[in-house]
Amino acid sequence: MGHETWDLIGHEETVRFLQAQIQRGTVGHAYLFTGPSGVGRRTLALRFAQALACAHPPHAGAYCGHCRVCRLYPQQAHPDLHVLHDPGGLKVETVRTVRPKLLLSPRDARVRVVLLPNVEQATPAALNALLKSLEEPPEHVVFLLTARSPEAILPTLASRCQEFPLRPVPYATLRDGLTARGFPLAQAAWLAAWAQGRPGRALRWAQQPDDWRAYVAQIQDGLQLLHAPLRERLAYAAPYRAADREAVQARLATWQALWDLWLRLHQGLSDPRGHVAGGEIMRAVARQLTLNQVLQGLQHIQQGLRLLARYGNPRLVLEGALLTWPRLQGRAPDYARAVEQLIPAAAGHEPKPVP
Ligand SMILES: [Zn+2]
């Protein structure tokens, strides 16, 4: 790790490829980084931009870490870096406002960089305006787009970009990346296991303990509901309204990860989540479920997520999933307690900087 490899966790091959382009002087005008949220699309795009713009690179493809670019790019505060983002999706006005600025020479970097995160959420009008800018980009401008997948955006837009699909980072790479940043091993192991290859997710949990606690609480809810009678399950779903779509989606996504883990354990696959804090609880639950129950549980959650994406009623979707779960005997195990000691007490826990 270090400035030479852009201080990233994972994605070494993509970094090497982009560095080689900088070294050979073959950098293009538009790039598209795809993959699941939290995998590192925006971070990678920003570090690429930093390496392109750094005033004193130690060698081509690296950045110095000290110049004005290196100080201001990570905070997205440099005047030659334009981050185009509107709540709810990019709007055409935002694209139009930035366009005249792109014609100007960069102020103190070598390039002007336009970063467009989550471009699949952009309005059609904004995408059209963007396409026009991409057709004849000024020599000194580089566009960096991020999206869930190339299929999620217009083919005409994707075809103008070099695409780099980012895959989940292997467990050991993520765990070691976290310990190198100063996290204690047990904490790094849990974060790496449950973030499932997404460094952004692991770091967000570590830096915002409330988010971490909320995720653990969803896991705990899943276990509790598995032991609960039907009336308790209905009571759990009852308060959710149409406006709670995202909250229900988040719960179902967490439970999908749970049932997916139980399926993997049933199939005899090794999974790091079964070996970090609370892992023995997960293995014990898997033993109490039959393979058929696990398959059905997973299937109903996936179906619920599909229904929610098509505007199904959040409460009914939640009920639909919960009523199909088998009921386990005895008291629910206390997963939250098994993990609580790993969660940093103070919000904004700052790990040591990377040496
Ligand atoms: Zn620099």
Side-chain angles (χ1 to χ4, degrees):
M1 227 180 301
H3 297 335
E4 298 288 308
T5 52
W6 298 358
D7 307 295
L8 286 164
I9 300 179
H11 310 308
E12 299 87 353
E13 243 176 79
T14 308
V15 170
R16 274 199 297 275
F17 194 94
L18 292 170
Q19 287 182 323
Q21 283 196 346
I22 299 177
Q23 283 151 10
R24 288 197 303 262
T26 56
V27 173
H29 280 296
Y31 292 80
L32 171 63
F33 300 98
T34 56
S37 98
V39 81
R41 301 165 305 178
R42 191 193 306 213
T43 309
L44 177 57
L46 271 172
R47 301 291 159 76
F48 178 38
Q50 192 178 333
L52 282 173
C54 173
H56 309 290
H59 57 79
Y63 51 76
C64 73
H66 309 294
C67 70
R68 203 167 112 88
V69 163
C70 287
R71 286 198 317 271
L72 297 182
Y73 262 57
Q75 298 156 37
Q76 306 181 31
H78 193 280
D80 294 331
L81 173 67
H82 309 275
V83 183
L84 303 194
H85 177 72
D86 295 310
L90 183 63
K91 300 198 169 44
V92 65
E93 295 77 25
T94 310
V95 181
R96 285 199 187 123
T97 324
V98 80
R99 217 189 275 161
K101 293 183 199 156
L102 300 184
L103 299 173
L104 306 172
S105 296
R107 220 187 280 177
D108 65 353
R110 289 173 296 168
V111 287
R112 275 189 189 277
V113 174
V114 187
L115 176 64
L116 298 127
N118 301 318
V119 79
E120 75 268 13
Q121 293 168 10
T123 64
L127 287 177
N128 267 323
L130 182 61
L131 266 176
K132 288 206 187 86
S133 308
L134 281 175
E135 265 160 21
E136 286 167 31
E139 200 47 46
H140 55 262
V141 174
V142 179
F143 289 88
L144 304 177
L145 285 62
T146 79
R148 221 173 35 244
S149 71
E151 294 78 30
I153 67 172
L154 290 175
T156 42
L157 188 57
S159 68
R160 281 182 172 78
C161 303
Q162 293 184 46
E163 196 217 329
F164 291 89
L166 300 189
R167 313 241 176 265
V169 173
Y171 165 71
T173 307
L174 182 45
R175 182 200 56 204
D176 297 348
L178 292 171
T179 52
R181 280 164 168 73
F183 294 100
L185 181 60
Q187 197 189 72
W190 192 95
L191 290 168
W194 283 91
Q196 298 191 280
R198 292 184 264 176
R201 200 171 201 210
L203 289 167
R204 200 193 58 227
W205 278 338
Q207 282 150 12
Q208 296 175 16
D210 286 346
D211 279 12
W212 188 357
R213 226 171 245 120
Y215 188 77
V216 171
Q218 286 171 6
I219 294 177
Q220 184 65 46
D221 282 358
L223 291 171
Q224 222 110 35
L225 289 162
L226 205 47
H227 288 261
L230 290 186
R231 61 184 155 73
E232 270 176 41
R233 296 181 186 187
L234 290 173
Y236 182 87
Y240 289 99
R241 299 281 169 259
D244 300 321
R245 179 173 311 279
E246 279 179 27
V248 172
Q249 257 163 346
R251 264 163 194 71
L252 288 181
T254 305
W255 295 343
Q256 187 181 18
L258 261 186
W259 286 85
D260 164 76
L261 169 60
W262 293 329
L263 178 61
R264 292 176 58 82
L265 293 172
H266 250 280
Q267 291 170 324
L269 297 168
S270 109
D271 191 297
R273 293 172 292 174
H275 303 284
V276 296
E280 68 291 345
I281 291 176
M282 292 301 157
R283 295 199 305 274
V285 173
R287 279 194 299 273
Q288 291 173 70
L289 294 163
T290 67
L291 178 58
N292 206 27
Q293 286 173 331
V294 175
L295 285 169
Q296 284 196 3
L298 192 55
Q299 207 181 357
H300 287 296
I301 288 173
Q302 284 162 346
Q303 196 184 359
L305 283 166
R306 279 197 298 274
L307 282 171
L308 278 181
R310 292 200 306 263
Y311 297 97
N313 176 306
R315 178 177 56 83
L316 293 181
V317 165
L318 199 52
E319 279 179 5
L322 289 176
L323 293 185
T324 58
W325 289 10
R327 184 176 174 196
L328 296 186
Q329 295 310 306
R331 282 165 60 91
D334 199 344
Y335 188 81
R337 201 168 140 203
V339 175
E340 183 62 32
Q341 22 128 14
L342 300 180
I343 302 178
H349 158 84
E350 282 296 323
K352 278 185 294 188
V354 181

